[in-house]
Every structure is written in structure tokens, then in C-alpha cells.
Amino acid sequence: MSPAAIILAAGLGTRMRSNLPKVLHPLAGRPMIQHLIGACEAVFGRIVIVVGPDMPALEDAVAPREVVVQRERLGTGHAALQAAPFLGGHQGDVAVLYGDNPLISAATLQALVAARQSAGLVLLAMRPADAARYGRVVLDAKSEVARIVEWADATAEERAIGLCNAGVICAPAQDLFRWLGAIGNNNAKGEYYLTDVIQQARAEGKRVVAVEAPEAELRGINSRAELAQAEAEVQRSLRAAAMAGGATMLSPETVHLCHDTKLGADVLLEPHIFFGPDVTVENGVTIRAFSHLEGCVVKQGAVIGPYARLRPGSIIETHAHVGNFVELKATTLGAGAKANHLSYLGDAMIGAGANIGAGTITCNYDGVAKHRTEIGEGAFIGSDTALVAPVKVGKRALVAAGSVITDDVPDDALAIARGRQAVKPGRGFKGKGKR
Ligand code: UD1
Ligand code: MG
């Protein structure tokens, strides 16, 4: 039978100092527990998540997966035992993972499950640069795991051990739940430690082995500083994947990607670009420095920025240009169209080849509702035009600079909507105090 997994996520995450449950803090725009669930789904046929009694947001985030509530937070061993009604009768292996340990790859989980064939209990271990407060893995003369000692309970000598417990174990279901039922809480924290199943397994004569994996995958997140380190790790791997896919980054460490950012081949990214969720950038697009994109599609050959903001619902068609200090929201900019300077384009449909002059604003909101602006193919909107929506400007229409357009403009027409200039001869500036 395929192995099953229990993910522990009932802890309060006190060291985060947050109202949000720890495992909902995002990495690359996705709650950390979703990263872990993603890896688990590649390996485990069934996943049960242990949550706390007052975490409706967490239950929503992991739905429709099976959830069990740990009513009292009595420790990681007690938390794992809560899954017994679901998995106690499971014919096969069960792994226990921690929700605050979200970067484990599916390959490492496969290695864990594979190693179980030749041992009674397997755990994942690492040798972090800073062993900090991780549990230390004590090996015996045969290099098998003798026990794990929690930092709080460890002697100075034990704290000097570099091999640390990552917090992932795997054993046959029947054994695991029997051991969990037998552990006590006689330790520094008065908690039921999951790690104490090792002594139970050893007492029954089982081999307990540690599978080592890189710290980058196994780091736990207990504080904002550790969250930032994990974010850096995720960003590094997302950028590496994007570059492997053919994107050029002039300064990779300044580009912030989202877990679902899609970048095509021959995309050029200048420094300092932020991608929020749901962005697709097609082949041959250039995104210039200091741009911010979310919920948008940028099609082949388009040029964005510098200093552009693309908000959700924006579609930039092929070879269109969005220049500096231009914001788009729920707007389609047609193929080859240009909005190069200082504009707000919201709830608009802009035809192919249209030119949007500097300072053009779609006045899409009347204080109550949003309204649409349509601009036809090849239209030319003069600088500093206000388009008071709902309004339509026809194909190849010309709107004079400085116009306030409140009525539709037909195809091929010229619209001028501004005060006429008055010239008064001799009334020029005479210098200070001489008017
Ligand atoms: C734990 C391990 C430690 C390991 C480290 C790796 C134990 C006793 N210690 O320590 O050996 O080096 O992880 O990151 O297991 N949780 C519950 N219910 C509880 C308590 C915790 O669901 O009653 C959950 C938490 O939400 C968290 C996970 O279990 O996701 C781990 O708990 P945490 O308090 O972070 O343990 P660590 O001190 O990090
Ligand atoms: Mg932890």
C-alpha cells in the first residue's frame, strides 16, 4: 500500500509573534504548508493534517484534505497520535512531517520511504551551518540512531553534535502508533516529544537510521528571520528554474518571483522586479527595472517598464509597450499599442496600434461603480487626456491633447474638449511687484 503522511500544524508558532498560524505565512506567495503538501502529494497516497482548535483559516487553506484537531497542544508526539483514528489501521508506512519544515523535495521524501525497507524507523537529518536549537541526533557505534536529544534537554557535549533532526520520520503505521501511545513527557518542556519514538523502536530491537539531506531543504521555520532565510532559498530555486528555462536576469538576486510565475524563453529581466501571483510572461518579452506585476499576461515581444505597474486582469498583447510610471488594471493593451509615460489605464480595452499619450487617465470610478473605456485600433490619444468612463473612442480617432472626453468619439473623428487659449498682447510678466 502506498505510504501515508501526517503533517503537524497545530503549534502556535509563538516565536513568529503573529496572529496568523505559522504554517500560513507565505513563501513565494504561497502558504508554507502548501509547499509541503505539494511535495507530499508526489509521494504519499493519503495526507492527514493536524491543526489546532482555533484555526479556521488553516482548515480552509488545506481543504479538502483530511484534518484532525489537536485540542490541547501537548507536543509533537501527542499531535501525531491524533491521526490514529484515520491512519491507525493503515497497512503500510506512515511518515510524520512538520508544517514549519516546508522546503523538503519529493526526491528526499522518496529517499526516506525507500530507506524504510531496510530499517524499522527512518528519520531525515541535516548538518546545518548553525545547529541553533534543533534536536541533536545521537548515533551509536554502528552509526545508527541511538536517540534524539532536544536542545532544551541537551548537555553541552550533546549540543556540540552537528547532526540535527529535521523533524521527519517514517515507520510502519502499526508500529508508529504503538510507540506514540507509549511515550512520556518527562522532559524540560513537559511535552510528548515525537522524537522519543526512537527509544521505543530501539527497545523493540529495531534499526533506526538517519537519511541526510541538505539544510536548504530541511530548515525549520520558527521565527521571522528563519522565514526570510527560507524565502531566500525558495527564490534562489525559482530563479534557477526560470534561467534554466531561458530567461535572462541581469541581477538575479533583485528579482522576486512568485511560486507560479511563468517566464518564457528569451525573456530579459532588468534589476529590481517584483512578481505577485498569477503572472505569465511569454517569449521575448523585456521587463525593465523597478516594475511590479501581478495577475497579468504579457505576450510575446512586449516591453514593460522601467517603473511600470501591471495589476490583476491586465493583458499586454504582442509587441505592445508599457513605459515608465504607467499603471494598468483589468485592461487589455492591444498588439503593438503604446502607453509609454505617466498613465492610469483601468477597466479599458485598447485596440491594436493605438497610441496613448503621456498623462492619459481613464476615469473609471465614479465613487460608486467602475465603468469601462474602449479605445479603437489605431486611435491616437493626445497627452493629458481624461477619459470619463463609460466612454468609447473609435478606430483611428484623434483626441486632442488636454481633452476631457465625456462623450463617445466616432471612428476616424477628431475630438477636442478643452478651453480655448486666450492671448492678451502686452499683458506679459513685468517682474516682481510691477504688475
Ligand atoms: C522540532 C523537533 C526537533 C527538530 C525540529 C526541526 C520535537 C520534540 N522536536 O522542534 O527535534 O530539530 O523540530 O525543525 O519534535 N506541533 C503540533 N502540536 C504540538 C506541538 C507542535 O502540531 O503540540 C507542530 C507545530 O505546528 C510545528 C511542528 O509540530 O509545525 C514542530 O513543532 P515546533 O514547536 O516548531 O518544534 P521545534 O521546537 O522546532
Ligand atoms: Mg519548528
Side-chain angles (χ1 to χ4, degrees):
M1 199 178 221
S2 76
I6 303 168
I7 298 178
L8 307 187
L12 287 172
T14 31
R15 284 172 275 175
M16 295 293 281
R17 300 190 189 280
S18 174
N19 287 326
L20 190 67
K22 175 164 69 175
V23 298
L24 288 184
H25 281 262
L27 290 171
R30 177 164 65 160
M32 66 171 90
I33 195 164
Q34 301 282 13
H35 289 260
L36 183 61
I37 288 172
C40 284
E41 279 178 338
V43 178
F44 301 105
R46 202 171 159 194
I47 300 171
V48 176
I49 295 149
V50 181
V51 304
D54 41 16
M55 297 180 165
L58 177 54
E59 290 190 40
D60 287 352
V62 301
R65 294 168 194 90
E66 293 171 288
V67 163
V68 57
V69 178
Q70 181 192 22
R71 303 246 155 250
E72 282 179 287
R73 293 181 180 90
L74 302 180
T76 49
H78 178 262
L81 191 56
Q82 306 310 303
F86 291 82
L87 295 173
H90 182 74
Q91 300 296 314
D93 288 344
V94 171
V96 183
L97 302 100
Y98 297 161
D100 68 345
N101 216 313
L103 303 182
I104 303 175
S105 69
T108 295
L109 293 176
Q110 295 283 14
L112 172 83
V113 169
R116 228 291 297 148
Q117 301 307 312
S118 56
L121 171 63
V122 185
L123 57 94
L124 293 182
M126 59 179 163
R127 295 181 187 276
D130 174 10
R133 298 192 168 205
Y134 288 116
R136 304 300 203 262
V137 180
V138 181
L139 299 178
D140 66 13
K142 290 188 286 181
S143 290
E144 292 177 9
V145 178
R147 62 198 174 91
I148 288 172
V149 54
E150 285 305 301
W151 184 85
D153 300 291
T155 61
E157 203 175 305
E158 286 163 336
R159 286 182 186 176
I161 296 173
L163 190 63
C164 293
N165 174 35
V168 182
I169 64 167
C170 184
Q174 320 270 307
D175 294 343
L176 179 70
F177 288 109
R178 185 174 65 257
W179 299 332
L180 286 172
I183 60 180
N185 64 349
N186 183 18
N187 52 51
K189 289 191 179 168
E191 287 185 2
Y192 295 88
Y193 289 163
L194 175 66
T195 43
D196 284 351
V197 295
I198 291 162
Q199 274 108 308
Q200 303 290 327
R202 297 270 299 193
E204 291 183 8
K206 307 277 189 203
R207 283 183 75 224
V208 182
V209 301
V211 170
E212 285 191 46
E215 178 190 11
E217 278 187 41
L218 298 184
R219 62 167 78 250
I221 299 172
N222 300 294
S223 63
R224 305 275 179 166
E226 288 170 354
L227 182 70
Q229 286 173 333
E231 179 74 46
E233 211 68 69
V234 175
Q235 289 298 327
R236 247 191 299 280
S237 71
L238 289 172
R239 290 191 296 252
M243 289 188 276
T248 290
M249 298 185 185
L250 297 187
S251 178
E253 57 290 352
T254 67
V255 173
H256 189 98
L257 298 167
C258 195
H259 67 97
D260 60 354
T261 305
K262 293 185 192 69
L263 300 179
D266 292 316
V267 165
L268 171 63
L269 301 182
E270 290 188 357
H272 298 288
I273 300 171
F274 182 92
F275 291 91
D278 196 20
V279 175
T280 299
V281 178
E282 293 186 355
N283 296 348
V285 166
T286 294
I287 304 181
R288 305 189 62 195
F290 298 101
S291 293
H292 189 288
L293 297 84
E294 53 188 326
C296 61
V297 179
V298 184
K299 298 198 180 169
Q300 213 151 11
V303 179
I304 308 298
Y307 302 98
R309 178 166 186 210
L310 302 185
R311 290 172 53 201
S314 298
I315 300 173
I316 312 304
E317 298 286 357
T318 54
H319 302 285
H321 287 193
V322 177
N324 40 264
F325 307 110
V326 173
E327 173 183 351
L328 270 75
K329 191 266 308 187
T331 287
T332 297
L333 186 64
K338 290 179 181 155
N340 273 335
H341 329 269
L342 301 152
S343 283
Y344 170 63
L345 303 169
D347 302 302
M349 176 66 77
I350 298 167
N355 187 87
I356 308 298
T360 296
I361 303 289
T362 53
C363 310
N364 60 332
Y365 185 49
D366 58 13
V368 180
K370 300 283 168 68
H371 302 283
R372 297 192 58 78
T373 299
E374 281 179 41
I375 296 173
E377 287 171 27
F380 185 100
I381 311 297
S383 296
D384 200 23
T385 294
L387 297 151
V388 182
V391 73
K392 287 184 189 173
V393 175
K395 295 175 187 167
R396 298 168 302 277
L398 174 59
V399 173
S403 290
V404 177
I405 298 296
T406 51
D407 300 323
D408 291 354
V409 180
D411 291 353
D412 299 298
L414 164 66
I416 308 175
R418 63 185 185 213
R420 286 193 78 85
Q421 180 172 327
V423 176
K424 316 272 180 182
R427 295 267 302 269
F429 184 58
K430 304 275 192 313
K432 208 172 173 190
K434 294 188 186 161
R435 275 176 180 256

